[in-house]
Amino acid sequence: MTRYVLRRLLQLIPVFFGTTFLIYVLVWAVPGDPFSGKCGQTACPSAYIAQMTEKFHLNDNLFVQYLKYLGSLFTGDWGETFNGTSVGELIATSYPITLRLAVIAVVIEALIGLTAGVLTGLRGKGFLDNLVLVSTTFLISLPVFVTAIVLQLALGGNGLGLIEASVSEDPSVGELIVPGLALGSLSMAYVARLARTSIAENRRADYVRTAIAKGQPQSRVVGVHLLRNSVIPVLTFLGTDLGALMGGAIVTEGVFNINGLGGLIFRGIQNRESATVVGVVVLLVLVYLLMSLIVDLLYAVLDPRIRYD
Amino acid sequence: MRRSRRLWGPTVVMTSLALALAACGGGSGSSAGAGETNPDGAVSVYGTEPQNALVPTNINDLGGTKAIQVMFATLVGFKGADAKPFNLMADSITTTDSKVYDIKIKQGWKFHDGTEVKAHNFIDAWNYGAYAPNGQLNTDFFSNIQGYKDVHPADENAKPATDKMSGLVQKSDYEFQVTLDAPFSVFDIKVGYQAFAPLPDAFFKDPKGFEQHPIGNGPMKFVSRTPNQDIKLTRFDDYKGDDKVHFKDLDIKIYSSQETAYQDLLSGRLDFMEALPPSAVAGGKYKADLGDRLVTGHLLEISTIAVPYYVPGYSNNLELRKAISLAIDRAQITKTVMNDTYVPADGYIAPGIPGARPGVCQFCKFDPAAAKEAFAKSGFKGKLTIASNADGGRKEPLTAACNSIKNTLGVECDFVPATDFGQWRSIVTGKKLTGMGRSDWSADYPSIEDFLNPIYKTGGSSNDSSYSNPQVDAILAQADATADKDAAVKLYQQAEDLVAKDLPSIPVWSEKGVAAKSKNLKSAALDFRRMPDYPSIEVLKK
């Protein structure tokens, strides 16, 4: 087990360098002059451009730039945006909000998605099954920004008046429920589908029949034997989804004006703040890798047949 | 409370005067509703993340200006709907030859850290802004002060010999003299631009610390700033200027989406927005949404379509430019496509600027017959194109203009989009246009000069059409050198007449400026720069 974890952690190193290099090159290699639109209808003064070029090492070739970036990254310096704000600080203020939002989304996904999946998986065909099928198809076909804006307009001040159009500076859990619902809606549909299929398959498995034959109560058969085995694919999905949600929050955070990582990336791309984009994406890559590691380790807990040696 | 009510008397009179003026100018200002006002109220305005640290010489974007503007007081302020210049920090600005300006400043004004504002604060700040190694965005504004070339050599790799401009001389604690390279009669208006604000000694001791906590001399002082979230300011009670604010706390809230901000405005969570999202403008929805909360201003702005002289086929084809201009149905496009947020333009100066005249451009009207005639004379073959960035609602009116040209002249016309403003500007400044291009201009300071020198002088900083007419250059230089304001305006008008004959760019429309206030505000107005006119804001008592 320890060896497995160590091996996985060591694998993170090449992945980290590979992804950061790719991201760095992709972001900075975008054609065009990052300062061309900065000064309105007039061209920027050359003194300003010279100073910024110097500051962001734009005169060096891309590889040297990347090495300089890595160098400062290892001293804990995430770089600066064009307006002189430290990217590290930006990330530090925004990640707790995004994390909160992502966790809420995952909880909503898990609760609603799993319940719907288990109920339909156990009952089989019928009205409820059709209802879930239709509603999940509907959710999957909607892009997140549509879901988010519809929720905002319908529940906001000009609709039912249940929520505000934007969340406050340091949003409470209550305020984040609707954005979380929008963010998690797509995955919620997938979770319901996955759980339904998995339960339906395992319902006829030998070990379930044995458990029933032993005279175990229905609740124990479903809760312990059936659910524990069926939940593995769902868990894989949920785990990696938490990483995806942190990045996928770009749209939702934009709509509800949440000052999180998604918003940072969004603004970074808009204003060509390459340092911000690279920094946040590097962070997301790390989150993603760690989440998949944790999910892999959880398998062993759920399924005793899985061993890591 | 009673005392402050009394202080408000003159303000109310002034506001109503401004309203009356605005009504004359075509806008309607803001409606002042009934109800008690709260002099210690809080106001939130829509904001965007500043592009640079909050130092006046390094800010020229709307997001940053919104904070800088109220944190710093310059020598000259601009009042009311017609942006009339008045002495703010300046006691007097005098000159006999438009070359040497003698500036006396008012005594007893304080920076927010308690130190007094003195002449050297202006000199130091301007020298800082001009000094090349500081790489300040607004450095060009100092370029006509004598000695600028010594602190800012044309060759960007050269090290400046000195960091002080010889044209700035301190006479006493409250008086200094500015000598310009060449006479420039508009200098006493130009110094109202934010880049000319004074900086406290604290800035020069610790610029990094200043960026974290800027110290100004304006009506409001800095409280805190959270990147991408907000900038908080509060009233500076020691402020001596005429443009005091009538509320206590200001929160410039940064939004990633205009649509969300608009929702917040309608529900009263946000108090002021200087522009409306495209979805609200579409179909004139904003009129029903806002009712008496609609604020119309008078932006000193003009939109033109530049016809570059370097593009083959277009160059030196005056008849073609006439034909295009006569073929655009400005009235219909501003009404239907832009939903009354713009008005048709028929000159090169934004209406509202002293010296702007109606009908200067005789080809700026819709006349299909004359257009066809001119087009036949032009002998143009091929396809016309209008290029612009497609975001921010720029695409629709220009596509409509193209259609208008197509329908009138029977020539192909296409809108060519650029992905964003940055890409668009690099095409224009790189002289890579292959057809016509959008060329909008908004005033940095309210003067007719600002609409001519940068755009139509040979080699001007925003001469998008690469226009060059020695006669225009000569008249502009003469106007710059004319100390008498009225005589100078007449000369600038002559230059405009010449430009209108050459049609290097085709004036199309001018933005009215449509803003919105929330139900929490009793009054609010929009200033000529598309910014909340802070002194006009009054908060209703809850």
Side-chain angles (χ1 to χ4, degrees), chain B residues 356-402:
Chain B
R357 298 156 295 162
V360 171
C361 167
Q362 52 167 316
F363 306 110
C364 294
K365 53 177 189 272
F366 182 52
D367 187 344
K372 279 191 198 111
E373 199 183 313
F375 188 65
K377 266 194 243 166
S378 77
F380 179 83
K381 295 272 175 303
K383 196 166 85 172
L384 294 171
T385 53
I386 304 179
S388 161
N389 53 319
D391 51 354
R394 304 290 179 201
K395 184 184 166 193
E396 293 75 13
L398 290 174
T399 311
C402 241

Side-chain angles (χ1 to χ4, degrees), chain B residues 389-429:
Chain B
N389 53 319
D391 51 354
R394 304 290 179 201
K395 184 184 166 193
E396 293 75 13
L398 290 174
T399 311
C402 241
N403 286 334
S404 188
I405 295 168
K406 198 191 304 184
N407 295 338
T408 315
L409 302 179
V411 64
E412 278 296 301
C413 182
D414 275 342
F415 174 78
V416 183
T419 46
D420 59 15
F421 186 68
Q423 200 215 349
W424 165 239
R425 283 313 299 176
S426 58
I427 293 174
V428 175
T429 49

Side-chain angles (χ1 to χ4, degrees), chain B residues 448-524:
Chain B
I448 182 171
E449 179 273 333
D450 194 33
F451 282 85
L452 295 169
N453 268 331
I455 316 172
Y456 301 109
K457 202 163 76 177
T458 306
S461 59
S462 295
N463 190 339
D464 292 351
S465 19
S466 297
Y467 174 64
S468 172
N469 181 343
Q471 221 183 331
V472 171
D473 292 350
I475 297 177
L476 285 176
Q478 201 192 334
D480 289 347
T482 305
D484 178 39
K485 284 268 177 300
D486 295 332
V489 166
K490 288 224 165 59
L491 284 166
Y492 286 122
Q493 287 176 337
Q494 278 182 31
E496 191 198 1
D497 288 338
L498 285 179
V499 172
K501 283 206 181 75
D502 286 342
L503 276 179
S505 65
I506 298 164
V508 276
W509 33 71
S510 177
E511 192 171 359
K512 263 193 213 167
V514 183
K517 67 181 174 76
S518 75
K519 56 186 178 230
N520 309 330
L521 298 190
K522 181 172 176 178
S523 67

Side-chain angles (χ1 to χ4, degrees), chain B residues 52-380:
Chain B
N52 278 308
L54 295 175
V55 177
T57 45
N58 212 17
I59 285 281
N60 68 0
D61 63 305
L62 197 63
T65 305
K66 221 173 263 177
I68 288 285
Q69 193 57 41
V70 73
M71 279 162 57
F72 289 88
T74 41
L75 293 166
V76 169
F78 304 114
K79 190 175 277 169
D82 56 352
K84 199 174 163 45
F86 67 98
N87 281 348
L88 184 59
M89 261 227 73
D91 201 28
S92 68
I93 303 178
T94 48
T95 182
T96 50
D97 55 359
S98 295
K99 191 165 190 271
V100 181
Y101 284 84
D102 199 47
I103 300 173
K104 291 198 181 77
I105 62 168
K106 288 173 185 158
Q107 303 191 9
W109 282 48
K110 294 225 161 60
F111 282 109
H112 301 153
D113 63 355
T115 54
E116 199 182 349
V117 188
K118 293 184 177 169
H120 77 267
N121 294 110
F122 284 95
I123 295 174
D124 292 351
W126 298 5
N127 276 329
Y128 179 86
Y131 188 56
N134 292 331
Q136 298 294 293
L137 266 188
N138 291 326
T139 188
D140 285 345
F141 280 90
F142 305 102
S143 60
N144 55 357
I145 297 174
Q146 201 172 66
Y148 178 79
K149 286 180 189 70
D150 301 327
V151 299
H152 200 119
D155 174 14
E156 58 186 78
N157 294 320
K159 177 115 179 62
T162 169
D163 58 357
K164 297 206 168 29
M165 290 185 279
S166 56
L168 298 178
V169 179
Q170 184 173 343
K171 293 277 173 188
S172 75
D173 268 1
Y174 304 100
E175 186 181 355
F176 65 109
Q177 200 180 56
V178 185
T179 311
L180 304 179
D181 263 338
F184 184 59
S185 57
V186 189
F187 189 71
D188 55 354
I189 296 177
K190 192 179 175 179
V191 290
Y193 185 66
Q194 70 215 34
F196 292 93
L199 286 170
D201 296 337
F203 171 76
F204 301 97
K205 273 184 208 122
D206 179 16
K208 273 276 155 205
F210 183 90
E211 285 177 11
Q212 299 298 317
H213 194 107
I215 299 158
N217 63 332
M220 303 204 82
K221 60 183 177 191
F222 182 84
V223 176
S224 68
R225 170 174 171 208
T226 316
N228 292 329
Q229 196 162 296
D230 63 2
I231 302 169
K232 286 192 163 77
L233 305 174
T234 187
R235 187 171 57 208
F236 177 53
D237 289 318
D238 273 350
Y239 186 65
K240 302 248 185 329
D242 291 337
D243 54 347
K244 286 192 176 72
V245 293
H246 309 295
F247 53 89
K248 190 153 192 295
D249 296 306
L250 178 68
D251 189 7
I252 302 172
K253 277 169 97 169
I254 292 164
Y255 281 88
S256 46
S257 138
Q258 267 197 349
E259 311 284 338
T260 305
Y262 187 65
Q263 297 287 323
D264 269 1
L265 184 112
L266 293 180
S267 69
R269 246 161 95 90
L270 179 73
D271 293 329
F272 191 87
M273 265 184 100
E274 77 279 358
L276 304 178
S279 67
V281 174
K285 184 172 166 285
Y286 67 96
K287 292 177 193 160
D289 278 352
L290 293 167
D292 64 348
R293 283 181 280 156
L294 180 67
V295 176
T296 51
H298 199 120
L299 300 183
L300 300 182
E301 187 262 8
I302 190 105
S303 306
T304 66
I305 298 175
V307 192
Y309 275 61
Y310 57 83
V311 179
Y314 291 87
S315 46
N316 291 323
N317 195 341
L318 181 60
E319 291 302 325
L320 176 66
R321 290 196 292 271
K322 275 190 207 165
I324 294 168
S325 182
L326 289 164
I328 301 173
D329 190 351
R330 296 169 178 76
Q332 205 215 339
I333 294 171
T334 49
K335 193 161 170 254
T336 55
V337 182
M338 289 151 141
N339 293 292
D340 289 332
T341 55
Y342 284 73
V343 290
D346 55 7
Y348 289 87
I349 316 297
I353 295 261
R357 298 156 295 162
V360 171
C361 167
Q362 52 167 316
F363 306 110
C364 294
K365 53 177 189 272
F366 182 52
D367 187 344
K372 279 191 198 111
E373 199 183 313
F375 188 65
K377 266 194 243 166
S378 77
F380 179 83

Side-chain angles (χ1 to χ4, degrees), chain A residues 36 41-42 83 166 169 255 257, chain B residues 50 230 260 264 269 422 425 462:
Chain A
S36 55
Q41 288 293 117
T42 47
N83 67 10
S166 67
E169 284 169 22
V255 171
N257 204 45
Chain B
D230 63 2
T260 305
D264 269 1
R269 246 161 95 90
R425 283 313 299 176
S462 295

